[in-house]
């Protein structure tokens, strides 16, 4: 991994991978992969901040591995790996937590939102989630981190922590840049277009990459819009319609203006129907490849084993440097 810059990103196997995860994150991974040395994680340690059914978490981790590949990521050139297979993440996270302030962690929007949603389980992991995310990114000396707009705040915190650490100990960490697409950075819930689409919400609020085509059509047909009949992009006044136009523009790779033009003179019924077909046709080849990959679990397991070793060897270099800098005694 010498010449190209390093790109890092991850997704939690905390639910069915949604169209939001795909448009906001995975589709950009696919666009960028050839220009960078990439690592893509199944962020299973992060998923534990919300109670998971163990068997489901395990199953979703291998499903996400197959989905990354089915969406177009090359399994040979990229390190697609499972976060918990690389113990250095948790180790660096502890060190970085000693360089993170309660005040800055308490200001994180995701912490506030998830605390509200899981009021019976506001655990310390939910609070220190961004520190673990900083460890993920900094362990690999990442240059670029493609994420959806919802993760922008965490990325800024990662930069702050890295700069703070470097300020004390010298240039230990590369300061990563974010890559956040503009218009389609945040896909909204189909049931409440003022909230982001989330895999841990009501299944009718999101489209999963593994949904049946009938379900996709049904969910889009029921998507919340508004009471006038005008199809235009206006997220403030028409969040539902704007969200549908964003989905269309992202999947068809056309501008929002072109998307508006394609629907001029049409009604909401037609808008939803047309978009459903665009989504189905986009997802069809992904599902075909996914189903093939899932029949070869031995291949997926071998890949995870090899990639865990590759990731560990890069991560250990950074961790060793960090331990030395902060003064932990090294056995000679
Ligand atoms: N609605 C979204 N629109 C655009 N991008 C999104 N992402 C998530 N939701 C949207 C991006 O997907 C990547 C993976 O996210 P994650 O699994 O690490 O965590 P998340 O952001 O918390 O995603 P979810 O779907 O909302 O998961 P749950 O419900 O488990 O919390 C990130 O790059 C994210 O920006």
């Amino acid at each position: 991994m010498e010449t190209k810059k390093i790109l890092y990103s991850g997704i939690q196997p905390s639910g069915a991978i949604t169209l939001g995860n795909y448009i906001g994150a995975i589709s950009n991974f696919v666009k960028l992969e050839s220009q960078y040395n990439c690592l893509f994680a199944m962020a299973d340690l992060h998923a534990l901040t919300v109670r998971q059914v163990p068997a489901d978490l395990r199953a979703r981790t291998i499903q996400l591995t197959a989905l990354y590949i089915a969406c177009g990521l090359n399994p040979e050139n990229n390190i697609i790996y499972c976060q918990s297979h690389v113990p250095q993440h948790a180790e660096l996270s502890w060190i970085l937590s000693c360089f993170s302030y309660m005040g800055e962690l308490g200001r994180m929007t995701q912490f506030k939102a998830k605390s509200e949603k899981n009021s019976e389980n506001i655990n310390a992991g939910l609070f220190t989630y961004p520190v673990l995310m900083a460890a993920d990114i900094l362990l690999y000396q990442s240059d670029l981190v493609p994420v959806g707009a919802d993760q922008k705040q965490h990325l800024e915190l990662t930069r702050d922590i890295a700069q703070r650490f470097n300020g004390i100990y010298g240039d230990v960490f590369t300061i990563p840049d974010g890559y956040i697409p503009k218009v389609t950075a945040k896909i909204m819930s189909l049931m409440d277009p003022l909230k982001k689409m989330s895999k841990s919400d009501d299944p009718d609020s999101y489209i999963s990459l593994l949904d049946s085509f009938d379900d996709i059509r049904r969910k889009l047909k029921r998507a919340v819009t508004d009471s006038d009949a005008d199809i235009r992009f206006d997220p403030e006044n028409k969040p539902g319609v704007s969200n549908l136009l964003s989905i269309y523009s992202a999947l068809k790779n056309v501008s929002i203006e072109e998307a508006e033009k394609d629907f001029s003179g049409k009604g909401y019924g037609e808008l939803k129907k047309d978009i459903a077909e665009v989504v189905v046709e986009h997802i069809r080849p992904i599902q075909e490849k996914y189903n093939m990959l899932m029949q070869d679990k031995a291949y997926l397991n071998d890949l995870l084993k090899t990639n865990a070793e590759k990731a560990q060897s890069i991560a250990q270099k950074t961790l060793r440097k960090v331990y030395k800098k902060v003064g932990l005694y090294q056995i000679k």
Side-chain angles (χ1 to χ4, degrees), residues 9-12 14 18 20-21 23-25 110 114 117 129 146-151 184-188 196-201:
S9 205
I11 295 186
Q12 301 180 73
S14 48
T18 70
N21 300 135
I23 294 174
Q110 179 178 291
K114 289 212 168 166
K117 211 158 126 188
Y129 180 111
V147 283
D150 59 310
Q151 292 294 334
T184 52
K186 202 167 178 184
I187 300 301
M188 310 308 277
K196 78 161 187 150
M197 183 180 280
S198 250
K199 58 179 122 62
S200 54
D201 266 354

PDB file of all heavy atoms in Angstrom, residues 9-12 14 18 20-21 23-25 110 114 117 129 146-151 184-188 196-201, ligand 1:
ATOM      1  N   SER A   9     -13.403   3.645   5.088  1.00  0.00           N
ATOM      2  CA  SER A   9     -14.789   3.859   5.497  1.00  0.00           C
ATOM      3  C   SER A   9     -15.353   2.554   6.048  1.00  0.00           C
ATOM      4  O   SER A   9     -14.730   1.501   5.936  1.00  0.00           O
ATOM      5  CB  SER A   9     -15.644   4.386   4.339  1.00  0.00           C
ATOM      6  OG  SER A   9     -16.750   5.102   4.864  1.00  0.00           O
ATOM      7  N   GLY A  10     -16.522   2.653   6.655  1.00  0.00           N
ATOM      8  CA  GLY A  10     -17.133   1.452   7.217  1.00  0.00           C
ATOM      9  C   GLY A  10     -18.632   1.621   7.349  1.00  0.00           C
ATOM     10  O   GLY A  10     -19.151   2.740   7.251  1.00  0.00           O
ATOM     11  N   ILE A  11     -19.287   0.509   7.538  1.00  0.00           N
ATOM     12  CA  ILE A  11     -20.742   0.519   7.747  1.00  0.00           C
ATOM     13  C   ILE A  11     -21.049  -0.450   8.878  1.00  0.00           C
ATOM     14  O   ILE A  11     -20.433  -1.525   8.973  1.00  0.00           O
ATOM     15  CB  ILE A  11     -21.486   0.110   6.449  1.00  0.00           C
ATOM     16  CG1 ILE A  11     -21.228   1.170   5.359  1.00  0.00           C
ATOM     17  CG2 ILE A  11     -22.973  -0.060   6.691  1.00  0.00           C
ATOM     18  CD1 ILE A  11     -22.003   0.977   4.093  1.00  0.00           C
ATOM     19  N   GLN A  12     -21.973  -0.085   9.731  1.00  0.00           N
ATOM     20  CA  GLN A  12     -22.341  -0.982  10.830  1.00  0.00           C
ATOM     21  C   GLN A  12     -23.293  -2.072  10.330  1.00  0.00           C
ATOM     22  O   GLN A  12     -24.283  -1.737   9.664  1.00  0.00           O
ATOM     23  CB  GLN A  12     -23.114  -0.220  11.895  1.00  0.00           C
ATOM     24  CG  GLN A  12     -22.412   0.942  12.507  1.00  0.00           C
ATOM     25  CD  GLN A  12     -23.315   1.591  13.534  1.00  0.00           C
ATOM     26  OE1 GLN A  12     -23.544   1.060  14.603  1.00  0.00           O
ATOM     27  NE2 GLN A  12     -23.852   2.749  13.184  1.00  0.00           N
ATOM     28  N   SER A  14     -25.738  -3.199  11.558  1.00  0.00           N
ATOM     29  CA  SER A  14     -26.763  -3.049  12.604  1.00  0.00           C
ATOM     30  C   SER A  14     -28.177  -3.197  12.067  1.00  0.00           C
ATOM     31  O   SER A  14     -29.144  -2.968  12.774  1.00  0.00           O
ATOM     32  CB  SER A  14     -26.594  -1.678  13.270  1.00  0.00           C
ATOM     33  OG  SER A  14     -26.465  -0.673  12.278  1.00  0.00           O
ATOM     34  N   THR A  18     -29.346  -0.042   3.748  1.00  0.00           N
ATOM     35  CA  THR A  18     -30.415   0.724   3.103  1.00  0.00           C
ATOM     36  C   THR A  18     -29.928   1.443   1.844  1.00  0.00           C
ATOM     37  O   THR A  18     -28.721   1.582   1.614  1.00  0.00           O
ATOM     38  CB  THR A  18     -30.972   1.809   4.053  1.00  0.00           C
ATOM     39  OG1 THR A  18     -29.952   2.826   4.197  1.00  0.00           O
ATOM     40  CG2 THR A  18     -31.346   1.253   5.409  1.00  0.00           C
ATOM     41  N   GLY A  20     -30.090   4.510   1.650  1.00  0.00           N
ATOM     42  CA  GLY A  20     -29.341   5.647   2.202  1.00  0.00           C
ATOM     43  C   GLY A  20     -27.871   5.302   2.346  1.00  0.00           C
ATOM     44  O   GLY A  20     -26.995   6.060   1.915  1.00  0.00           O
ATOM     45  N   ASN A  21     -27.585   4.129   2.919  1.00  0.00           N
ATOM     46  CA  ASN A  21     -26.192   3.686   3.041  1.00  0.00           C
ATOM     47  C   ASN A  21     -25.559   3.548   1.652  1.00  0.00           C
ATOM     48  O   ASN A  21     -24.389   3.884   1.454  1.00  0.00           O
ATOM     49  CB  ASN A  21     -26.093   2.324   3.748  1.00  0.00           C
ATOM     50  CG  ASN A  21     -26.656   2.305   5.153  1.00  0.00           C
ATOM     51  OD1 ASN A  21     -27.380   1.395   5.524  1.00  0.00           O
ATOM     52  ND2 ASN A  21     -26.343   3.319   5.951  1.00  0.00           N
ATOM     53  N   ILE A  23     -26.485   5.075  -1.336  1.00  0.00           N
ATOM     54  CA  ILE A  23     -26.277   6.335  -2.063  1.00  0.00           C
ATOM     55  C   ILE A  23     -25.280   7.233  -1.328  1.00  0.00           C
ATOM     56  O   ILE A  23     -24.396   7.824  -1.929  1.00  0.00           O
ATOM     57  CB  ILE A  23     -27.635   7.060  -2.284  1.00  0.00           C
ATOM     58  CG1 ILE A  23     -28.505   6.224  -3.219  1.00  0.00           C
ATOM     59  CG2 ILE A  23     -27.429   8.468  -2.841  1.00  0.00           C
ATOM     60  CD1 ILE A  23     -29.925   6.749  -3.403  1.00  0.00           C
ATOM     61  N   GLY A  24     -25.425   7.293   0.012  1.00  0.00           N
ATOM     62  CA  GLY A  24     -24.556   8.190   0.785  1.00  0.00           C
ATOM     63  C   GLY A  24     -23.140   7.663   0.927  1.00  0.00           C
ATOM     64  O   GLY A  24     -22.206   8.439   1.081  1.00  0.00           O
ATOM     65  N   ALA A  25     -22.977   6.345   0.906  1.00  0.00           N
ATOM     66  CA  ALA A  25     -21.647   5.802   1.187  1.00  0.00           C
ATOM     67  C   ALA A  25     -21.156   4.840   0.095  1.00  0.00           C
ATOM     68  O   ALA A  25     -20.242   5.167  -0.666  1.00  0.00           O
ATOM     69  CB  ALA A  25     -21.670   5.108   2.554  1.00  0.00           C
ATOM     70  N   GLN A 110     -25.476  12.615  16.829  1.00  0.00           N
ATOM     71  CA  GLN A 110     -25.878  11.203  16.820  1.00  0.00           C
ATOM     72  C   GLN A 110     -26.053  10.678  18.246  1.00  0.00           C
ATOM     73  O   GLN A 110     -26.966   9.896  18.519  1.00  0.00           O
ATOM     74  CB  GLN A 110     -24.833  10.349  16.076  1.00  0.00           C
ATOM     75  CG  GLN A 110     -25.206   8.877  16.065  1.00  0.00           C
ATOM     76  CD  GLN A 110     -24.215   8.023  15.282  1.00  0.00           C
ATOM     77  OE1 GLN A 110     -24.122   8.112  14.072  1.00  0.00           O
ATOM     78  NE2 GLN A 110     -23.475   7.203  15.981  1.00  0.00           N
ATOM     79  N   LYS A 114     -29.505   9.133  19.318  1.00  0.00           N
ATOM     80  CA  LYS A 114     -29.589   7.722  19.719  1.00  0.00           C
ATOM     81  C   LYS A 114     -29.951   7.591  21.189  1.00  0.00           C
ATOM     82  O   LYS A 114     -30.559   6.604  21.595  1.00  0.00           O
ATOM     83  CB  LYS A 114     -28.285   6.995  19.391  1.00  0.00           C
ATOM     84  CG  LYS A 114     -28.118   6.797  17.892  1.00  0.00           C
ATOM     85  CD  LYS A 114     -27.367   5.545  17.511  1.00  0.00           C
ATOM     86  CE  LYS A 114     -27.518   5.292  16.011  1.00  0.00           C
ATOM     87  NZ  LYS A 114     -26.598   4.330  15.468  1.00  0.00           N
ATOM     88  N   LYS A 117     -33.624   7.818  21.221  1.00  0.00           N
ATOM     89  CA  LYS A 117     -34.247   6.633  20.640  1.00  0.00           C
ATOM     90  C   LYS A 117     -34.078   5.409  21.554  1.00  0.00           C
ATOM     91  O   LYS A 117     -34.915   4.522  21.557  1.00  0.00           O
ATOM     92  CB  LYS A 117     -33.573   6.353  19.285  1.00  0.00           C
ATOM     93  CG  LYS A 117     -34.473   5.721  18.261  1.00  0.00           C
ATOM     94  CD  LYS A 117     -33.928   5.992  16.886  1.00  0.00           C
ATOM     95  CE  LYS A 117     -33.731   4.747  16.085  1.00  0.00           C
ATOM     96  NZ  LYS A 117     -33.027   4.994  14.828  1.00  0.00           N
ATOM     97  N   TYR A 129     -18.642   6.424  21.010  1.00  0.00           N
ATOM     98  CA  TYR A 129     -18.695   5.961  19.610  1.00  0.00           C
ATOM     99  C   TYR A 129     -17.736   6.750  18.698  1.00  0.00           C
ATOM    100  O   TYR A 129     -16.956   6.169  17.940  1.00  0.00           O
ATOM    101  CB  TYR A 129     -20.147   6.094  19.149  1.00  0.00           C
ATOM    102  CG  TYR A 129     -20.480   5.675  17.746  1.00  0.00           C
ATOM    103  CD1 TYR A 129     -21.253   4.538  17.500  1.00  0.00           C
ATOM    104  CD2 TYR A 129     -20.076   6.420  16.641  1.00  0.00           C
ATOM    105  CE1 TYR A 129     -21.595   4.167  16.212  1.00  0.00           C
ATOM    106  CE2 TYR A 129     -20.401   6.053  15.359  1.00  0.00           C
ATOM    107  CZ  TYR A 129     -21.166   4.926  15.144  1.00  0.00           C
ATOM    108  OH  TYR A 129     -21.498   4.559  13.866  1.00  0.00           O
ATOM    109  N   PRO A 146     -14.863   8.733   2.835  1.00  0.00           N
ATOM    110  CA  PRO A 146     -16.164   9.030   2.248  1.00  0.00           C
ATOM    111  C   PRO A 146     -17.294   8.598   3.183  1.00  0.00           C
ATOM    112  O   PRO A 146     -17.367   7.432   3.569  1.00  0.00           O
ATOM    113  CB  PRO A 146     -16.179   8.198   0.949  1.00  0.00           C
ATOM    114  CG  PRO A 146     -15.130   7.160   1.122  1.00  0.00           C
ATOM    115  CD  PRO A 146     -14.229   7.541   2.247  1.00  0.00           C
ATOM    116  N   VAL A 147     -18.127   9.546   3.560  1.00  0.00           N
ATOM    117  CA  VAL A 147     -19.272   9.243   4.448  1.00  0.00           C
ATOM    118  C   VAL A 147     -20.469  10.073   4.025  1.00  0.00           C
ATOM    119  O   VAL A 147     -20.336  11.052   3.294  1.00  0.00           O
ATOM    120  CB  VAL A 147     -18.966   9.581   5.938  1.00  0.00           C
ATOM    121  CG1 VAL A 147     -18.091   8.534   6.590  1.00  0.00           C
ATOM    122  CG2 VAL A 147     -18.368  10.966   6.097  1.00  0.00           C
ATOM    123  N   GLY A 148     -21.624   9.702   4.522  1.00  0.00           N
ATOM    124  CA  GLY A 148     -22.817  10.509   4.311  1.00  0.00           C
ATOM    125  C   GLY A 148     -22.760  11.741   5.213  1.00  0.00           C
ATOM    126  O   GLY A 148     -21.956  11.802   6.150  1.00  0.00           O
ATOM    127  N   ALA A 149     -23.642  12.708   4.926  1.00  0.00           N
ATOM    128  CA  ALA A 149     -23.607  13.976   5.668  1.00  0.00           C
ATOM    129  C   ALA A 149     -23.818  13.790   7.165  1.00  0.00           C
ATOM    130  O   ALA A 149     -23.313  14.573   7.974  1.00  0.00           O
ATOM    131  CB  ALA A 149     -24.665  14.914   5.103  1.00  0.00           C
ATOM    132  N   ASP A 150     -24.521  12.719   7.557  1.00  0.00           N
ATOM    133  CA  ASP A 150     -24.797  12.506   8.979  1.00  0.00           C
ATOM    134  C   ASP A 150     -23.518  12.243   9.782  1.00  0.00           C
ATOM    135  O   ASP A 150     -23.511  12.397  10.996  1.00  0.00           O
ATOM    136  CB  ASP A 150     -25.780  11.342   9.163  1.00  0.00           C
ATOM    137  CG  ASP A 150     -25.253  10.033   8.585  1.00  0.00           C
ATOM    138  OD1 ASP A 150     -24.816  10.028   7.425  1.00  0.00           O
ATOM    139  OD2 ASP A 150     -25.269   9.025   9.310  1.00  0.00           O
ATOM    140  N   GLN A 151     -22.451  11.840   9.108  1.00  0.00           N
ATOM    141  CA  GLN A 151     -21.214  11.508   9.825  1.00  0.00           C
ATOM    142  C   GLN A 151     -20.181  12.636   9.808  1.00  0.00           C
ATOM    143  O   GLN A 151     -19.072  12.479  10.313  1.00  0.00           O
ATOM    144  CB  GLN A 151     -20.583  10.236   9.225  1.00  0.00           C
ATOM    145  CG  GLN A 151     -21.384   8.976   9.455  1.00  0.00           C
ATOM    146  CD  GLN A 151     -21.458   8.597  10.933  1.00  0.00           C
ATOM    147  OE1 GLN A 151     -20.586   8.942  11.725  1.00  0.00           O
ATOM    148  NE2 GLN A 151     -22.530   7.917  11.333  1.00  0.00           N
ATOM    149  N   THR A 184     -27.034  14.540  -2.611  1.00  0.00           N
ATOM    150  CA  THR A 184     -27.601  13.265  -2.183  1.00  0.00           C
ATOM    151  C   THR A 184     -26.898  12.709  -0.953  1.00  0.00           C
ATOM    152  O   THR A 184     -26.924  11.515  -0.700  1.00  0.00           O
ATOM    153  CB  THR A 184     -27.514  12.244  -3.333  1.00  0.00           C
ATOM    154  OG1 THR A 184     -26.159  12.233  -3.788  1.00  0.00           O
ATOM    155  CG2 THR A 184     -28.421  12.601  -4.466  1.00  0.00           C
ATOM    156  N   ALA A 185     -26.293  13.605  -0.156  1.00  0.00           N
ATOM    157  CA  ALA A 185     -25.522  13.130   0.992  1.00  0.00           C
ATOM    158  C   ALA A 185     -26.417  12.551   2.079  1.00  0.00           C
ATOM    159  O   ALA A 185     -25.971  11.806   2.927  1.00  0.00           O
ATOM    160  CB  ALA A 185     -24.699  14.271   1.556  1.00  0.00           C
ATOM    161  N   LYS A 186     -27.678  12.926   2.060  1.00  0.00           N
ATOM    162  CA  LYS A 186     -28.562  12.446   3.115  1.00  0.00           C
ATOM    163  C   LYS A 186     -29.892  12.025   2.503  1.00  0.00           C
ATOM    164  O   LYS A 186     -30.660  12.869   2.042  1.00  0.00           O
ATOM    165  CB  LYS A 186     -28.771  13.576   4.130  1.00  0.00           C
ATOM    166  CG  LYS A 186     -29.200  13.101   5.479  1.00  0.00           C
ATOM    167  CD  LYS A 186     -29.055  14.261   6.447  1.00  0.00           C
ATOM    168  CE  LYS A 186     -29.503  13.946   7.828  1.00  0.00           C
ATOM    169  NZ  LYS A 186     -29.414  15.148   8.678  1.00  0.00           N
ATOM    170  N   ILE A 187     -30.127  10.744   2.489  1.00  0.00           N
ATOM    171  CA  ILE A 187     -31.402  10.220   1.994  1.00  0.00           C
ATOM    172  C   ILE A 187     -32.331  10.136   3.206  1.00  0.00           C
ATOM    173  O   ILE A 187     -31.932   9.690   4.275  1.00  0.00           O
ATOM    174  CB  ILE A 187     -31.192   8.838   1.328  1.00  0.00           C
ATOM    175  CG1 ILE A 187     -30.215   8.965   0.136  1.00  0.00           C
ATOM    176  CG2 ILE A 187     -32.521   8.226   0.893  1.00  0.00           C
ATOM    177  CD1 ILE A 187     -30.644   9.910  -0.962  1.00  0.00           C
ATOM    178  N   MET A 188     -33.562  10.579   3.021  1.00  0.00           N
ATOM    179  CA  MET A 188     -34.470  10.706   4.158  1.00  0.00           C
ATOM    180  C   MET A 188     -35.422   9.506   4.252  1.00  0.00           C
ATOM    181  O   MET A 188     -35.627   8.772   3.281  1.00  0.00           O
ATOM    182  CB  MET A 188     -35.269  12.015   4.049  1.00  0.00           C
ATOM    183  CG  MET A 188     -34.405  13.242   3.791  1.00  0.00           C
ATOM    184  SD  MET A 188     -33.023  13.431   4.942  1.00  0.00           S
ATOM    185  CE  MET A 188     -33.836  14.226   6.295  1.00  0.00           C
ATOM    186  N   LYS A 196     -33.491  11.213   8.776  1.00  0.00           N
ATOM    187  CA  LYS A 196     -32.712  10.473   7.776  1.00  0.00           C
ATOM    188  C   LYS A 196     -33.171   9.004   7.710  1.00  0.00           C
ATOM    189  O   LYS A 196     -33.685   8.464   8.694  1.00  0.00           O
ATOM    190  CB  LYS A 196     -31.216  10.569   8.069  1.00  0.00           C
ATOM    191  CG  LYS A 196     -30.718   9.674   9.162  1.00  0.00           C
ATOM    192  CD  LYS A 196     -29.204   9.496   9.041  1.00  0.00           C
ATOM    193  CE  LYS A 196     -28.755   8.460  10.053  1.00  0.00           C
ATOM    194  NZ  LYS A 196     -27.606   7.705   9.685  1.00  0.00           N
ATOM    195  N   MET A 197     -32.990   8.418   6.546  1.00  0.00           N
ATOM    196  CA  MET A 197     -33.298   6.993   6.381  1.00  0.00           C
ATOM    197  C   MET A 197     -32.288   6.215   7.211  1.00  0.00           C
ATOM    198  O   MET A 197     -31.085   6.428   7.081  1.00  0.00           O
ATOM    199  CB  MET A 197     -33.189   6.618   4.902  1.00  0.00           C
ATOM    200  CG  MET A 197     -33.559   5.174   4.610  1.00  0.00           C
ATOM    201  SD  MET A 197     -33.413   4.763   2.843  1.00  0.00           S
ATOM    202  CE  MET A 197     -34.910   5.428   2.169  1.00  0.00           C
ATOM    203  N   SER A 198     -32.760   5.314   8.087  1.00  0.00           N
ATOM    204  CA  SER A 198     -31.879   4.581   8.992  1.00  0.00           C
ATOM    205  C   SER A 198     -32.247   3.115   8.999  1.00  0.00           C
ATOM    206  O   SER A 198     -33.426   2.776   9.077  1.00  0.00           O
ATOM    207  CB  SER A 198     -32.081   5.099  10.414  1.00  0.00           C
ATOM    208  OG  SER A 198     -30.977   5.808  10.836  1.00  0.00           O
ATOM    209  N   LYS A 199     -31.220   2.267   9.013  1.00  0.00           N
ATOM    210  CA  LYS A 199     -31.504   0.827   8.975  1.00  0.00           C
ATOM    211  C   LYS A 199     -32.104   0.309  10.268  1.00  0.00           C
ATOM    212  O   LYS A 199     -32.631  -0.794  10.307  1.00  0.00           O
ATOM    213  CB  LYS A 199     -30.253   0.044   8.564  1.00  0.00           C
ATOM    214  CG  LYS A 199     -29.036   0.245   9.438  1.00  0.00           C
ATOM    215  CD  LYS A 199     -27.888  -0.606   8.928  1.00  0.00           C
ATOM    216  CE  LYS A 199     -26.652   0.164   8.570  1.00  0.00           C
ATOM    217  NZ  LYS A 199     -26.000   0.903   9.641  1.00  0.00           N
ATOM    218  N   SER A 200     -31.987   1.088  11.364  1.00  0.00           N
ATOM    219  CA  SER A 200     -32.571   0.594  12.609  1.00  0.00           C
ATOM    220  C   SER A 200     -33.990   1.129  12.847  1.00  0.00           C
ATOM    221  O   SER A 200     -34.539   0.958  13.929  1.00  0.00           O
ATOM    222  CB  SER A 200     -31.659   0.928  13.786  1.00  0.00           C
ATOM    223  OG  SER A 200     -31.375   2.298  13.802  1.00  0.00           O
ATOM    224  N   ASP A 201     -34.578   1.779  11.836  1.00  0.00           N
ATOM    225  CA  ASP A 201     -35.962   2.267  11.966  1.00  0.00           C
ATOM    226  C   ASP A 201     -36.982   1.236  11.475  1.00  0.00           C
ATOM    227  O   ASP A 201     -36.628   0.134  11.091  1.00  0.00           O
ATOM    228  CB  ASP A 201     -36.109   3.551  11.137  1.00  0.00           C
ATOM    229  CG  ASP A 201     -35.884   4.780  11.999  1.00  0.00           C
ATOM    230  OD1 ASP A 201     -35.728   4.622  13.213  1.00  0.00           O
ATOM    231  OD2 ASP A 201     -35.863   5.888  11.427  1.00  0.00           O
TER     232      ASP A 201
HETATM  233  N1  LIG B   1     -29.838   8.272   5.196  1.00  0.00           N
HETATM  234  C1  LIG B   1     -28.597   8.305   4.782  1.00  0.00           C
HETATM  235  N2  LIG B   1     -28.258   9.035   3.712  1.00  0.00           N
HETATM  236  C2  LIG B   1     -26.964   9.072   3.277  1.00  0.00           C
HETATM  237  N3  LIG B   1     -25.972   8.390   3.861  1.00  0.00           N
HETATM  238  C3  LIG B   1     -26.268   7.655   4.929  1.00  0.00           C
HETATM  239  N4  LIG B   1     -25.527   6.857   5.733  1.00  0.00           N
HETATM  240  C4  LIG B   1     -26.312   6.325   6.687  1.00  0.00           C
HETATM  241  N5  LIG B   1     -27.582   6.730   6.526  1.00  0.00           N
HETATM  242  C5  LIG B   1     -27.581   7.567   5.453  1.00  0.00           C
HETATM  243  C6  LIG B   1     -24.106   6.630   5.556  1.00  0.00           C
HETATM  244  O1  LIG B   1     -23.902   5.232   5.514  1.00  0.00           O
HETATM  245  C7  LIG B   1     -22.630   4.952   6.104  1.00  0.00           C
HETATM  246  C8  LIG B   1     -22.771   3.860   7.094  1.00  0.00           C
HETATM  247  O2  LIG B   1     -23.494   4.278   8.200  1.00  0.00           O
HETATM  248  P1  LIG B   1     -23.377   3.459   9.535  1.00  0.00           P
HETATM  249  O3  LIG B   1     -23.951   2.126   9.372  1.00  0.00           O
HETATM  250  O4  LIG B   1     -21.987   3.454  10.032  1.00  0.00           O
HETATM  251  O5  LIG B   1     -24.162   4.298  10.574  1.00  0.00           O
HETATM  252  P2  LIG B   1     -25.319   5.293  10.467  1.00  0.00           P
HETATM  253  O6  LIG B   1     -24.878   6.539   9.807  1.00  0.00           O
HETATM  254  O7  LIG B   1     -25.846   5.423  11.857  1.00  0.00           O
HETATM  255  O8  LIG B   1     -26.343   4.531   9.524  1.00  0.00           O
HETATM  256  P3  LIG B   1     -27.801   4.089   9.813  1.00  0.00           P
HETATM  257  O9  LIG B   1     -28.330   3.411   8.596  1.00  0.00           O
HETATM  258  O10 LIG B   1     -28.591   5.228  10.347  1.00  0.00           O
HETATM  259  O11 LIG B   1     -27.579   2.992  10.932  1.00  0.00           O
HETATM  260  P4  LIG B   1     -28.231   2.845  12.358  1.00  0.00           P
HETATM  261  O12 LIG B   1     -29.699   2.879  12.143  1.00  0.00           O
HETATM  262  O13 LIG B   1     -27.737   1.536  12.872  1.00  0.00           O
HETATM  263  O14 LIG B   1     -27.727   3.987  13.178  1.00  0.00           O
HETATM  264  C9  LIG B   1     -22.094   6.248   6.702  1.00  0.00           C
HETATM  265  O15 LIG B   1     -21.148   6.793   5.810  1.00  0.00           O
HETATM  266  C10 LIG B   1     -23.299   7.107   6.753  1.00  0.00           C
HETATM  267  O16 LIG B   1     -22.977   8.480   6.638  1.00  0.00           O
END
